[in-house]
């Protein structure tokens, strides 16, 4: 929907990147403002920081299910 999906350059040794679902992007702010934003995942000392490179459409396990806020790494 916004930004990009993963590329081969995103492999081992590259900065940590992620794509997020539309529902998570809405919770974080306008979707076009979420791309490029850094997110910290997990709790210290095991946390990691990722940069959002894309926003993708929500998926639903059933037609009327509420979409989940998802991070793809």
């Amino acid at each position: 929907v916004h930004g990009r999906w993963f590329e081969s350059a995103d492999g081992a040794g590259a900065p940590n990147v992620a794509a997020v679902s539309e529902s998570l992007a809405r919770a974080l702010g306008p979707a076009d403002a979420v791309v490029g934003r850094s997110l910290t995942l997990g709790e210290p000392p095991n946390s990691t920081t990722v940069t959002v490179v894309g926003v993708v459409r929500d998926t639903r396990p059933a037609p009327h299910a509420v979409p989940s806020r998802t991070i793809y790494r």
Side-chain angles (χ1 to χ4, degrees):
V1 177
H2 293 283
R4 66 174 177 84
W5 191 240
F6 302 108
E7 300 173 345
S8 58
D10 295 327
N16 293 323
V17 296
V20 299
S21 64
E22 288 176 302
S23 57
L24 179 55
R26 278 191 296 275
L28 297 172
D32 58 344
V34 172
V35 174
R37 185 172 171 177
S38 293
L39 301 177
T40 300
L41 309 176
E43 298 293 325
N46 299 317
S47 61
T48 187
T49 300
V50 298
T51 300
V52 176
V53 295
V55 177
V56 300
R57 295 206 183 279
D58 286 330
T59 59
R60 298 169 190 260
H64 299 290
V66 175
S68 63
R69 296 175 178 176
T70 307
I71 299 173
Y72 301 93
R73 295 185 56 208

